[in-house]
Amino acid sequence: MTLEEIRGQENTMENADRVQSAGAALEELLVAAKKQDYLTVGVYESAKVMNVDPDSVAFCVLATDEEYECDIALQIHFTLIQAFCFDNDINVVRVNDIERLADLVSADDTGEPKDAHCILVTSPSASPWKDPALDKLSLFCEESRSVYDWVPTITLPER
């Protein structure tokens, strides 16, 4: 085994740990933001918030699974949301387990499940919200961008 092969294995393990840690941080962030009422859930609701008050958006989560991979309209919305986030320096991640994500942000008051394809973590401009999980995720996104992974995929921890 060559030195390059050994380093490659180490990097793969480090990357897996990094993604797992980011998944735990994302779960913490969503739970904390939900308690503070700092979540916007849904593609159209998120687009409205981004249009009205883009400075209030602190983080963006895009979620899909195999069932929605061929949904052209959803993919176009994702492209537009990503472009908006890049233009406004908002960190974006993808999650491939939409059911788990929907469980985290739960149903609305009517008991109907929410459209969890896009989730924004917002923060009031007057008193910015600080959360250690948000800092961890921001660092994760920055590190991912340094290796040209512009929208990293995060795996949420199993329940």
Side-chain angles (χ1 to χ4, degrees):
M1 189 174 259
T2 66
L3 183 59
E4 289 81 18
E5 290 173 333
I6 293 171
R7 285 198 176 139
Q9 287 178 347
E10 289 172 356
N11 287 343
T12 302
M13 288 186 285
E14 286 175 16
N15 193 38
D17 290 342
R18 209 172 63 89
V19 170
Q20 189 174 22
S21 174
L26 179 59
E27 184 174 5
E28 288 174 32
L29 176 66
L30 293 175
V31 169
K34 182 180 173 193
K35 287 179 184 175
Q36 297 287 330
D37 198 28
Y38 289 165
L39 284 183
T40 301
V41 181
V43 173
Y44 297 109
E45 293 81 358
S46 297
K48 283 189 242 175
V49 168
M50 289 178 170
N51 189 39
V52 173
D53 190 11
D55 293 334
S56 71
V57 180
F59 199 78
C60 179
V61 180
L62 300 175
T64 189
D65 55 19
E66 290 178 12
E67 180 182 344
Y68 295 100
E69 285 293 323
C70 295
D71 186 339
I72 301 299
L74 184 62
Q75 297 307 318
I76 291 170
H77 281 101
F78 280 4
T79 301
L80 294 171
I81 289 169
Q82 287 174 22
F84 182 89
C85 289
F86 293 152
D87 285 347
N88 289 281
D89 296 322
I90 299 166
N91 290 315
V92 184
V93 295
R94 277 194 180 249
V95 174
N96 288 330
D97 189 353
I98 193 166
E99 289 180 13
R100 175 86 171 90
L101 195 60
D103 287 344
L104 282 174
V105 296
S106 79
D108 61 16
D109 296 336
T110 63
E112 292 293 317
K114 292 184 176 182
D115 165 26
H117 287 106
C118 182
I119 299 172
L120 298 181
V121 176
T122 58
S123 177
S125 300
S127 59
W129 181 55
K130 294 291 181 192
D131 187 83
L134 181 59
D135 293 338
K136 285 180 191 175
L137 287 166
S138 295
L139 180 61
F140 172 79
C141 289
E142 187 177 316
E143 289 172 352
S144 296
R145 282 191 300 271
S146 73
V147 293
Y148 304 107
D149 186 4
W150 302 107
V151 183
T153 300
I154 291 180
T155 303
L156 291 170
E158 295 293 322
R159 279 263 156 163

